[in-house]
Amino acid sequence: MLYLLSQFLSFKLFSYITVRVGIAFFLSLSLALFLMPRYIRWATAKKANQPINKFVPAHEGKKHTPTMGGAIFVFSAVIATLIAGNFTNIYLVGGLITIIGFAFVGFKDDYGKVASGNNLKGLTPKGKMGLLILISLIVVGLLYYKNFPTTFYIPFLKTPLFDMNYVAIPFWVLVFLATTNAVNLTDGLDGLATVPSSLALTTLGFIIYATGHAELSRYLLIPHISDVGEISILIGAYIGALIGFLYYNCYPAEIFMGDTGSLATGGFIAYLAILAKSEVLLILIGAVFVAETVSVILQVGSYKLRGQRVFLMAPIHHHFELKKWAENKIIVRFWMVAFLANVLALITLKFR
C-alpha cells in the first residue's frame, strides 16, 4: 500500500526498502503487543490450552497455558506487510504463501490437539507431512515460474559448485521439511525457539538485502538476484511480530506458539535460506535447531540399533532438564549459542 502510494504520489520516501522495513517492523510489533493479551484472555476462557506430553519432565504446571499464539504473530506480520509491501514482487508473494500455508497446517494440527485434549490427536504424521510437502511444492513451483537460479553455493566459495537444475525441486522441498520440523522440535521451552528464530531471520535478512543490492553483492562477492530485496519487508514484519510474541512467551510463558507458529516460522526460514542461496550456511545459522534435530536422530537411532539411549531424553533441551538445569538457564544458554552461531555465519561472508 505504502509502495503504491509512493508511485502514484511521487513520494520517494516509501519507495526505499529500508524505510518500509522499519515501518513494517514497528507496525507488526505494535499489533502483536495489542492483540496478544486479548487473545490470551480469550483462549484462557475457552480453555484452548496446550496438551502436555506426559513424558515431558516437570511441565505439569504448564497444562493451563493457552496455545496457538503463532496465529497472532503470523496475522500481525501479514497485516504489516500488506501495508508496507510491494505486491507486484513475486518473492514477497511467495513469502506470504509460505507463512500462511505452513501456519494453516500447524493450526489444523493444534486445533485437533486442543479439541481432543490429547497431544497425540492432531494431524496424522502422514497427513501432516503430505500437507507440508504440498505447500513446499507450491512455493518451489512459484520460484521456478520466476526462473529463480538453481545454482548451488557453499560457504567460503564465491562461485557456485554446480547448477542443480531439476534436482533443485526435491532439494528445496527437503530444506522446507527439515527446517519446519527442526523449529517444531525446538519449541519445547518458554521462548526457546523464538529468539533463535529471530536471530536466523535477521542474519538471512541481511544476506538477502545484500543479494538484492547490486553494490553490496559485488562487494561481498555473493550472487546478485534482482528484486529479491523486497522480501526484507516481510522479514522485518515477522521479526517485529516475534518480539511482540516474546514479551508474553518469555519465561514463565503466558502463551505458546504451537505448531501454528513453529511450522510457519520454520517454513519462512527455509524459504529465506533458498532465496539467499544459503541452504548449506543454514546449518550454522540454525545451529540450535540442528542440534535439537540431531539429538532426536541419535536418540532414536541408538535405541533401535543398540537398545541404549544417548541422552536422558530427546530433544536435547529435555536432557538438560533431567540433569536438573533450571529452565531459564537452559533457554538463555541456547540463545547464546544461537547468537554466536549467527555471528559466525555473517563472518563467513567475508571469507570468499
Side-chain angles (χ1 to χ4, degrees):
M1 184 184 298
L2 292 180
Y3 179 82
L4 293 177
L5 283 175
S6 72
Q7 302 303 303
F8 286 120
L9 302 179
S10 298
F11 187 57
K12 290 187 177 181
L13 181 64
F14 291 149
S15 66
Y16 295 115
I17 289 176
T18 49
V19 171
R20 289 184 288 124
V21 167
I23 292 171
F25 174 86
F26 283 107
L27 277 175
S28 63
L29 172 63
S30 301
L31 193 55
L33 288 172
F34 175 78
L35 292 175
M36 203 65 69
R38 288 158 178 79
Y39 173 76
I40 291 171
R41 288 196 294 270
W42 177 85
T44 301
K46 296 294 184 180
K47 297 183 178 180
N49 305 327
Q50 173 71 55
I52 302 298
N53 190 323
K54 64 180 180 179
F55 299 108
V56 172
H59 285 191
E60 182 65 22
K62 300 185 179 186
K63 65 181 181 180
H64 299 300
T65 304
T67 188
M68 289 189 284
I72 302 302
F73 67 71
V74 166
F75 175 79
S76 301
V78 169
I79 294 300
T81 305
L82 287 173
I83 293 172
N86 169 20
F87 292 97
T88 63
N89 185 284
I90 197 72
Y91 298 117
L92 185 63
V93 173
L96 288 170
I97 292 173
T98 299
I99 290 172
I100 295 170
F102 282 105
F104 172 74
V105 177
F107 179 81
K108 284 183 67 68
D109 194 35
D110 283 335
Y111 184 79
K113 294 174 183 176
V114 170
S116 65
N118 189 326
N119 200 51
L120 302 175
K121 294 293 185 179
L123 289 170
T124 64
K126 287 184 179 180
K128 187 175 182 179
M129 184 62 68
L131 288 172
L132 293 177
I133 291 173
L134 176 61
I135 301 299
S136 302
L137 285 171
I138 291 172
V139 177
V140 169
L142 191 66
L143 291 178
Y144 253 80
Y145 170 76
K146 179 62 178 176
N147 293 318
F148 184 76
T150 56
T151 44
F152 181 76
Y153 285 81
I154 62 172
F156 309 115
L157 294 184
K158 60 185 178 182
T159 55
L161 282 184
F162 51 82
D163 190 336
M164 294 183 288
N165 208 337
Y166 292 110
V167 177
I169 296 175
F171 176 66
W172 287 342
V173 170
L174 180 62
V175 172
F176 273 113
L177 296 179
T179 311
T180 52
N181 282 285
V183 175
N184 186 246
L185 286 172
T186 306
D187 183 35
L189 298 178
D190 301 350
L192 181 60
T194 308
V195 170
S197 296
S198 299
L199 291 169
L201 290 171
T202 302
T203 299
L204 289 167
F206 173 79
I207 296 172
I208 286 176
Y209 180 77
T211 299
H213 195 287
E215 293 183 8
L216 274 176
S217 60
R218 189 182 308 114
Y219 171 71
L220 292 172
L221 300 177
I222 59 178
H224 173 61
I225 303 173
S226 180
D227 298 329
V228 77
E230 186 67 24
I231 194 67
S232 302
I233 310 302
L234 182 52
I235 297 171
Y238 207 90
I239 293 171
L242 278 177
I243 292 174
F245 171 70
L246 181 63
Y247 186 84
Y248 298 97
N249 179 239
C250 61
Y251 181 84
E254 300 173 57
I255 181 76
F256 297 140
M257 69 168 65
D259 282 13
T260 307
S262 63
L263 294 184
T265 303
F268 191 39
I269 291 172
Y271 179 68
L272 296 180
I274 293 168
L275 293 188
K277 310 305 293 179
S278 299
E279 299 96 336
V280 176
L281 189 60
L282 183 58
I283 295 172
L284 182 57
I285 293 171
V288 167
F289 307 133
V290 172
E292 295 276 20
T293 305
V294 170
S295 71
V296 172
I297 294 171
L298 289 175
Q299 185 84 327
V300 174
S302 177
Y303 191 76
K304 286 186 175 181
L305 293 173
R306 304 186 304 144
Q308 296 179 345
R309 293 179 173 85
V310 178
F311 306 100
L312 296 176
M313 189 175 182
I316 197 170
H317 58 261
H318 291 318
H319 170 81
F320 292 117
E321 281 190 289
L322 290 174
K323 289 182 71 69
K324 305 303 180 183
W325 286 23
E327 181 175 347
N328 56 346
K329 183 172 287 188
I330 298 169
I331 295 164
V332 172
R333 286 177 175 174
F334 274 52
W335 289 354
M336 291 169 66
V337 170
F339 174 77
L340 293 172
N342 278 269
V343 170
L344 288 173
L346 287 172
I347 290 173
T348 65
L349 296 179
K350 285 301 294 176
F351 288 88
R352 290 174 180 265

